[in-house]
Amino acid sequence: MTSPHANLLHKLNAKEAVIGIVGLGYVGLPLMLRYNDIGFRVLGIDIDQDKVDRLNAGQSYIEHIPSAKVARATGSGFEATTDFRRVAEADAIILCVPTPLNKYREPDMSFVVNTVDALKPHLREGQVVSLESTTYPGTTEEELLPRVQENGLVVGENVFLVYSPEREDPGNPDFETRTIPKVVGGHTPACRQVGEALYAPAIDRVVPVSSTKAAEMTKLLENIHRAVNIGLVNEMKVVADRMGIDIFEVVDAAATKPFGFTPYYPGPGLGGHCIPIDPFYLTWKAREYGLHTRFIELSGEVNRAMPEYVVGKLMDGLNDHGKALKGSRVLVLGIAYKKNVDDMRESPSVEIMELIESKGAEVSYSDPHVPVFPKMREHHFALSSVELSAESLAGFDAVVLATDHDRFDFELIKQHAKLIVDSRGTYREAAPHIVKA
Ligand SMILES: NC(=O)c1ccc[n+]([C@@H]2O[C@H](COP(=O)([O-])OP(=O)(O)OC[C@H]3O[C@@H](n4cnc5c(N)ncnc54)[C@H](O)[C@@H]3O)[C@@H](O)[C@H]2O)c1
């Protein structure tokens, strides 16, 4: 009789395994499409009935994922469900659920824990469970391992446990799921082998590491590296500005050094579901070991101060035009957290809008990717995107360029806005009505 290990490896290699993806969001959906594309049967599980219904109807709910791709998957065996009992049908269960921070900026593991609790009764011999959500080192061992084994299964023998961080970069045309190398750590060597077999058919390069903890830490290092370097360049921006130096010119010049320098550009603050949040997963865990993560805290402090810095520049600019922010009409350009996407999670633009409004100005926004301001957990504006034209631009006392989408007509903005507060270095040449922020 073949062992559960050999049996599962065979099913994965032969593409006979059923892939179950739990959490069909920015991470889970592209992964589903990839496995479907290469001929695996994929079952999607999500608690959101509306998402499940839309997927089964062949519709996408993420701007950069075309509905045609979802419809093709639905037409070739993909099915979404809210029924966790169907986990038993899957040979591989990949978890892509959110890992946010709670209001005390501590890891909120409730999505991961609730998901594992919901699938626990339906786990069976011969399955692999892979966690992809970004999290602190130790999560797979501390939270998943005991739950997976609760009903008598033995990890490494008849069920397998891996951690493999996701490296999706939404809106980046240069990389797709297949071409982004994937790090995989297993709870045991047998688990790692299964993890490699799970991802090898879908991803060009799988990078095995020695443990789930090492894989968890790898993801955090990548995101902390970004947060810290963005914090550094944001601090440099403030210093350079005070000295009358253009930081963008400096970064571009430094980037000509062919070794030992990686360019990072300043902006209005950090946004998105990852970079402002993930580093604090390590901060929290490090405390258990009596350690402080000073770089993370410091860069968080610098980056979080950026929206206020931008609004300070807006007030200075208005002041130079003999105006106060109070009573002014201000248009924020770009409310997604980065260019060319529609994702507004943690977007600094929203904080900028709130600051502007709290100071008594009338705030509007324009974003070709976000036609109507969405309902967000903590913020709400009953606004829809202002169409940019010579007349509409001239009707505002100032515009704040927060996110530099390619779809903006920057020349039109330059010609017709009375005052531009540019936080992205879009306008390199000095002009009396352009303030660098
Ligand atoms: N978005 C990115 O670019 C990105 C990149 C790398 C890593 N990550 C990480 O991947 C994870 C998922 O992020 P995302 O951006 O895909 O989130 P998302 O919010 O887009 O998607 C999560 C999905 O999980 C579903 N869900 C929530 N609780 C569930 C439960 N108990 N059972 C089943 N489904 C449930 C939600 O309905 C949603 O559809 C996070 O840990 C994130 O940090 C995200």
Side-chain angles (χ1 to χ4, degrees):
M1 213 181 79
T2 51
S3 67
H5 181 238
N7 202 16
L8 181 54
L9 287 178
H10 168 77
K11 278 187 172 177
L12 289 165
N13 292 334
K15 298 189 182 171
E16 286 165 9
V18 175
I19 309 292
I21 297 188
V22 186
L24 298 164
Y26 282 85
V27 168
L29 204 50
L31 202 61
M32 172 288 272
L33 291 172
R34 178 70 189 138
Y35 276 106
N36 174 271
D37 243 10
I38 56 174
F40 280 91
R41 182 159 99 72
V42 190
L43 181 66
I45 301 176
D46 203 291
I47 49 169
D48 186 335
Q49 185 69 51
D50 182 50
K51 279 189 181 172
V52 165
D53 292 343
R54 289 178 71 176
L55 290 174
N56 285 334
Q59 291 166 13
S60 169
Y61 38 73
I62 296 178
E63 192 193 33
H64 65 272
I65 298 178
S67 287
K69 281 195 178 177
V70 175
R72 207 164 56 226
T74 313
S76 57
F78 165 67
E79 197 192 333
T81 180
T82 54
D83 183 357
F84 273 77
R85 284 171 303 187
R86 295 196 56 193
V87 159
E89 290 171 36
D91 299 292
I93 302 155
I94 303 180
L95 310 181
C96 311
V97 294
T99 43
L101 293 174
N102 66 20
K103 63 178 177 177
Y104 305 107
R105 300 193 69 74
E106 291 168 344
D108 175 1
M109 294 307 291
S110 62
F111 296 90
V112 172
V113 167
N114 291 343
T115 304
V116 186
D117 282 342
L119 54 88
K120 207 169 51 182
H122 314 293
L123 292 177
R124 58 162 173 82
E125 193 174 291
Q127 289 177 315
V128 52
V129 176
S130 173
L131 178 63
E132 294 210 4
S133 306
T134 307
T135 186
Y136 56 81
T139 304
T140 309
E141 258 178 44
E142 292 161 20
E143 300 293 342
L144 270 70
L145 181 66
R147 288 180 168 83
V148 168
Q149 299 198 128
E150 210 172 283
N151 296 327
L153 294 167
V154 182
V155 166
E157 283 182 24
N158 56 11
V159 72
F160 304 92
L161 184 59
V162 303
Y163 178 80
S164 180
E166 178 56 48
R167 282 171 165 164
E168 174 80 0
D169 186 14
N172 184 335
D174 301 331
F175 294 97
E176 52 179 315
T177 307
R178 177 179 71 80
T179 54
I180 304 173
K182 198 142 175 44
V183 172
V184 179
H187 182 64
T188 67
C191 293
R192 184 177 68 205
Q193 206 184 0
V194 170
E196 289 182 73
L198 168 61
Y199 290 108
I203 314 284
D204 287 352
R205 182 167 171 227
V206 177
V207 184
V209 293
S210 64
S211 64
T212 51
K213 271 185 180 170
E216 288 158 339
M217 185 78 146
T218 302
K219 174 69 187 179
L220 290 186
L221 173 62
E222 291 164 14
N223 286 359
I224 291 164
H225 167 99
R226 277 188 73 71
V228 167
N229 279 287
I230 293 170
L232 171 67
V233 81
N234 275 332
E235 186 173 86
M236 293 285 286
K237 164 178 82 172
V238 176
V239 176
D241 180 73
R242 193 66 66 86
M243 295 177 169
I245 300 166
D246 179 353
I247 187 68
F248 287 92
E249 183 189 4
V250 171
V251 175
D252 282 346
T256 61
K257 183 179 176 185
F259 44 83
F261 182 82
T262 306
Y264 283 85
Y265 291 89
L270 291 181
H273 182 36
C274 297
I275 312 296
I277 290 176
D278 304 345
F280 294 95
Y281 269 67
L282 189 67
T283 300
W284 178 82
K285 192 64 179 173
R287 272 190 232 131
E288 187 182 313
Y289 294 81
L291 296 171
H292 293 289
T293 54
R294 283 173 291 168
F295 274 104
I296 296 173
E297 300 281 5
L298 185 60
S299 60
E301 197 181 307
V302 173
N303 289 325
R304 273 202 300 274
M306 284 304 115
E308 226 157 310
Y309 176 79
V310 172
V311 173
K313 286 286 179 186
L314 167 65
M315 291 195 285
D316 291 349
L318 285 167
N319 189 53
D320 287 347
H321 284 66
K323 287 207 170 91
L325 178 53
K326 189 175 178 130
S328 288
R329 298 189 69 217
V330 181
L331 179 70
V332 175
L333 298 174
I335 58 168
Y337 80 90
K338 69 171 182 178
K339 70 194 283 181
N340 306 338
V341 302
D342 62 348
D343 190 346
M344 297 205 28
R345 290 178 290 180
E346 309 290 322
S347 176
S349 309
V350 178
E351 206 182 323
I352 290 173
M353 287 174 72
E354 283 173 345
L355 284 168
I356 291 172
E357 195 176 60
S358 73
K359 294 194 187 301
E362 185 191 319
V363 69
S364 305
Y365 83 91
S366 178
D367 192 318
H369 298 272
V370 191
V372 176
F373 195 100
K375 283 205 163 34
M376 297 178 81
R377 236 174 301 157
E378 284 152 16
H379 319 275
H380 194 63
F381 285 92
L383 293 173
S384 46
S385 176
V386 171
E387 198 70 41
L388 294 190
S389 66
E391 297 72 43
S392 66
L393 282 162
F396 290 95
D397 298 300
V399 303
V400 176
L401 179 50
T403 302
D404 50 345
H405 293 305
D406 289 340
R407 275 160 68 182
F408 281 133
D409 182 342
F410 293 109
E411 199 44 47
L412 180 86
I413 295 165
K414 188 175 164 188
Q415 275 178 21
H416 298 284
K418 289 180 188 147
L419 170 67
I420 302 173
V421 178
D422 176 11
S423 73
R424 293 288 182 177
T426 300
Y427 299 103
R428 297 296 174 93
E429 293 199 358
H433 71 309
I434 298 177
V435 174
K436 290 180 178 160

